[in-house]
Structures are given as C-alpha cells and as structure tokens.
Amino acid sequence: MSNYQKAIEQVSKETNNLSTLLIKKIEHDFERVDNILLLTKKAIFTKDKNSVFYDNRILEEYNDTISIKLKSFADSFDEIEKLIYIDKDGDIKYASNRLSKDVNVSDREYFKELKNNKDLNKSFSDVVISRLSGRESILLLHAIRDENKNLDGILAAVINTSFIRKILSSIDIGQNGVALIRNSETTKLITRYPSLDDSLINKPLPKDNEISKLIKSGSKYGYLEYTASTDDIKRFASFITMENFPFYIQIALSQDEYLKSWKDNLIVKSIFLGLFIFASIIIISVMKRNFNNEQKLLKELNNEKDRFENMFRIHSSIMLLIDPKNGQILDANNSAVSFYGYSLEKLKSMNVNEINQLSQEELNTIYQEAKQLKTNSFVFEHKLNNGKIKIVEVDSSPIETTSGIILFSIIKDVTKEKKIEDRLKRSYKRIEKLIDLQDNMIILTNGKNTKYANNKFFDFFGFSNLSDFKKSHKSICEFFIQNDEFFHLKKLENPENWINELKILDGSKRIVAMKGKNSKEHKFFVTVNSFDEDIMIIGFTDITNTIKEKIKLEIKVTQDKLTNAYNREYFDKYYKDWIISINKFNLKLAVVMLDIDNFKYVNDTFGHDVGDLVLIDFVKVICTNLRSNDIFVRWGGEEFILVLKLKDEKDLLKILENLRHKVEIYNFPKIGKRTCSFGATIYKDDEDIFKTIKRADEAVYKAKNLGRNRVEIIS
C-alpha cells in the first residue's frame, strides 16, 4: 500500500471520528430540546376541551403564568434561546421572554407545513431570521392538534445557529478545514464553520454533487475528495447522517493538511535489499564449496554489489548507513540528501546526534537495541539543515560487514500523520472537557461496566473518581429506585439489557429515580446515544423540579376538589394500565360501586354544607382502611367507585364487609351514624370496562332493594 493510500486511510479515519464526535454532541442537544418540548407540551398545553384552558377570557388571566413556566423550561437548557407558543392563526401568544410587540408567523413555511399537513406533528424549520431576536435560528416545532387533527397551536424551541456553529468550532480542522451541518432531506445548509457569505444559508447542494447523490440514495455516511466551488481548495470530506433528526454533519480537511507528496512503499523496496543480502550469503557459501567458480562468482557478487549501491543511491526512500559504535553517518542516499538539505559530503562528515534531538546517552541505548535486534523501529525528531524539526519513523537493521556491524536505517517522514494524531487526541480531550462541563450526568458504558463518567456524576453520587465508584459498583443501573411511575430494573425480564430497553421507550417514559450522596430522591430524563460498537453515551438530566410541577398539575386535574378522592378523569386515564398490570401479574380486578344510604335525606334535612362534610368524612373513613394499591374514585354525588387488585376473588367479600362496618360505626358530624351500600363485580378478560361498571351499578341497586347497608357481589 502506498503512502498516499495510507494518508487517505488516515484522513478518512480522522474526519469520520471528528464527524462522529460532533454528531453525538449535536444529536444529544437536539434530543434534549425535543424532550423539553414534550414535557412543556404535556405540562402546559395538552388539555381537555372542557378545560378552562380553552376559555379565552380565563386564559388571558394566565398569560404571565404560562410565560413564566416557558421561561423556567427554556432557562434550564443552553441549547434553547426561546420557547414560544404559536396559535392556529400564526400569532405568537406566549414566549419564554416577554413579548415587546405582536408577531405573526403565518407566512413562514414551517407554519404552513404544519397547518396543511394533519399527519405531521413534529418538524424543523429552515434557517430563519427570528422576528423576536433578529438572529439566524432554526426552530424545532411540535404541533398541538384537536381530536380531528386540526391545528390548535404550535410549541416551538428557537435554537440560535451560532450555538450550533460554536459546537462545530470546538474541533481542530486545521487550516482551510470546514465543519458544517445540512438538512439531510433537502441538503440545505444550516450553518458552517468557518462562516461564509450569508447567501449560502438554506442553499441546497447541486443535484449532481457527489454527497447529494449519496444522501439521496440513502447512504448514512460516506467519504470523498472534492474541490470546493466557493474557494477552489481541494479537500477530503466525511459525512454522517443523524439517526433521529433530518441533518448530517460534514467534516472536510484541506489537501495541504493530509498530503503534499507520496512515495513508494518502503517495505516493498526493502525486500529487494533483503534479497540482495540473502543472495550474497548464498553466493559466498557456494564460493566456499566450489573454488573453481570463485572468480565467476566474485564477478557476480560485484555486479550485485553495484546494483545494490545503485538502488541505494536512487531509491525514493530516505536511507542512512550508521556506525552504531559512535553514531557516525557512513553513507546516505540521494533522498536523504534532499530531505535533510545537506550535501552528501557534509552528511558523511556528520554524527547522527547532530540531526537527532535525543541526547548522546539515549542514542547509544537505541544503537545497542537495534544492534541486538531487541527493537528496530523508532520515532524521533530530526532537525533539518534549514532548522525545521521533522518527526520521523526509523527502521534500523544490523548488517555484518568486513569491518564490523553497521546499521542500515530507512527513514520515513511521519510529521503530518503525527500532527493529525495529536490533533485527534486534543479533539478527544476537548470533547471530554466539554462533557465534564455539562450540567447533566454523562457516562460511557456497555451496560455492565462503566468506562467513563463526568464530574457531575461524581458530584451527585459522592465518589472521588471512577476507581472509587468501581470498588463497590459496576453500573449506574444499580441505583435505579423501584418506583412504578418510572423506569426500573424490576420491569425487565433481562435487567442486563436495560440500555436497549430504555432506547425503545417513548421519550416521556425514559425517566429514572435515583438517590445521591445526600439521600434525596431525584428524577432524571435519560438519553442514549451510540459511541462505538458496544459503548453507549448515556445522559441523565435532572428534572426533579419539572416532575414535581407535573405531579402537582396532575393532582389538581385528577383529584376531586371537595373530597380529595380521585375523579373520573383519573379513572379514564389509568384504567387501561390497571388491566395491563393484572394480566401481567395474574391478578383479578374488582370494581365496586359505593352509595351512601339516604344521602338525599341528609341534604334536604341538614343542608348541602353538612352533606359536603359527610362526603369528606366518608372518603376519610374509606381511604383510612384501604390497602396501599387500592384506588378510590368519586363517580358523582354520593356515588363512589372502588378498584381492587386481588390474588383471590374470595377475599373480596371480607374486604368490603370490613369497609361497610367501618362506615356503619362512624359518627358523622351533626348527623350521627350513616350506612353505605356496596355493589361489586369482577372484570372479565377483554371486556369493556364500562360493562363492568354497569354490573357493579346493578349490584349496588340490588343491595339497596334488599334493605341497604349490605354488600352484594354479582358475576
């Protein structure tokens, strides 16, 4: 393989690695933005049509509150410049920063696209000049639709393209290098580092462009050499498309950075030298055995010697003959003369330590290693006649001569390769620093063992470093708390497969609970991205405060305001989950209708205020005597529904009789004793839940007709 091909392979690896690092960072940031939009949408804008949210008069009173909530979400993420809510007419109604003027975006293509396509719920805009900030930005948009898929509004995150360009600039692309991001569906340019004329923004690639062809054919990555039309510089480029977003990253290094000239493969050429030496040994052996052919063989040997010397002189590889005893340069070929910038006579008068930057003591050690065949390949810094320092790879082999052993050294200039390697190492270190500066915990793991963790990880758990963590732990999944509201290992058949299970979950369900060094429970949103074949980058963003707000919001929506029992909205939201749960764990689901006996008499005689107090105390009595996973719902008026998960349906009567007795002996305020009738039934497989409720309703009527204050169970 020629040095040219090696250089191409090397630059392919470098551009691919740089593209991979960038794409992981940017895709991770886009995922964070996408997930905060989901949380914002659920916490603020996803409401029932009967909600006061849709009463415009009341909604106006909550403008400031909504803007404050948007600001709290936006301020938590550096990627987001603004969060905005656009109504169905294109007016920006709310923003994370206070609006100083009315703004309408109905003429924007992204708004038209979401309004006219009922099946489109998420998209990115082209680069636009923000009418709020005046900056170049792209928008990640989530549509909010009614039951007929008509557009109610759009929740959008505004991402300044300078933020993306800053990420692109975080890697070393050398002189005349380019890092850019384009839309993979349209090939339109989003942003580029270094920046060019603004007229190129949103401009697609020509249809005959090689990268455009590869992208259109479905290629996820690729390499090519090209000459840019913008500056006529020849570059080598690598591109990789994002898995979950319509973009691709392209890294291109200029030709001057990876190649100026190439030479023939040294190994192949050195074979000829080996053959000559081997042939010489054979010829000498034959001479000893056959004295009569001595003169003929000597002549052939001289011819071979002449051929070797000629090859040595004109070979394109840099070659030196060195005396290992004192480092004296005995001979040099034409390539060495050209490379070092000295005449042949000057080189032959020099000691190698005048070229090599190592000390004489270090060189003597290396000569001995080469002479004894312990090591024959070295990397040095050599100083040229013009003062420049070159990094060289030297292969030295001992050769027996009549005057003793000499070192035959073949020198290869690897300065560019080493610079590229050093740049790549620096890029990795920058990425590590970038990860360490993140506000969220980030680890590299294969699921079983943790390979890397950032400072935020150690701060949260209280470990000093990764070795300290590994003394007692292997994986972060050991810290997942068993809470059925969130992801945990008990939900999995194969806990070792926890990363893959997380990856396939909907974003809103990729939440885990963990305790840190202060023993306080925190909730984290989890992102999963590939790093290499078996290592994943796992990010943990602390959303404890967001979850608390969401829970408070859910409680307000799903609790009966008078009694604090659950309401019908809660029942409608979760009954399918209860059915899945009983099927999974082989349980029975009992549905019980409760009706306070003669409650109308209480209201008519004592008034509705007293009736409300009775309802409140009734719920307290029932809830005090329920099991931890029983669900109590106010169905309407004095009617309540109780949902029980049972291992054995024979336990149902005993449980309900206990509740009936607790109500019967309780002294209600101002009215004294009251009773309650219970009607129960068992849910049947694949049955409509409302048929089950209807049977429970029939059972409670049966209990009332048979005298009240009793339990009736029908199948």
Side-chain angles (χ1 to χ4, degrees), residues 586-592 627 644-656 680-685 695 711 713-715:
N586 197 26
L587 301 173
K588 297 291 184 182
L589 190 74
V591 176
V592 185
R627 300 170 305 166
L644 310 170
K645 296 176 184 177
L646 305 169
K647 290 183 179 179
D648 190 337
E649 57 186 276
K650 293 179 181 177
D651 297 333
L652 179 58
L653 180 60
K654 181 179 178 181
I655 293 170
L656 298 185
T681 189
I682 300 295
Y683 169 79
K684 298 176 181 178
D685 291 345
R695 279 202 310 280
V711 176
I713 301 173
I714 63 175
S715 58

Side-chain angles (χ1 to χ4, degrees), residues 513-562:
M514 294 187 288
K515 288 182 179 179
K517 60 187 178 185
N518 58 8
S519 298
K520 291 182 179 179
E521 185 174 314
H522 291 248
K523 282 77 178 178
F524 295 89
F525 176 76
V526 186
T527 57
V528 182
N529 292 285
S530 298
F531 184 75
D532 56 27
E533 288 185 3
D534 62 341
I535 300 297
M536 309 298 291
I537 299 177
I538 315 293
F540 296 85
T541 303
D542 194 333
I543 56 171
T544 306
N545 292 334
T546 304
I547 291 290
K548 285 179 180 177
E549 288 296 320
K550 183 183 176 185
I551 290 171
K552 287 179 182 177
L553 204 61
E554 282 191 352
I555 289 172
K556 285 183 179 179
V557 172
T558 59
Q559 275 192 335
D560 177 55
K561 291 181 180 178
L562 175 65

Side-chain angles (χ1 to χ4, degrees), residues 195-208:
S195 300
L196 276 180
D197 189 344
D198 286 347
S199 64
L200 294 175
I201 299 300
N202 285 333
K203 186 176 180 181
L205 292 172
K207 291 183 179 178
D208 59 351

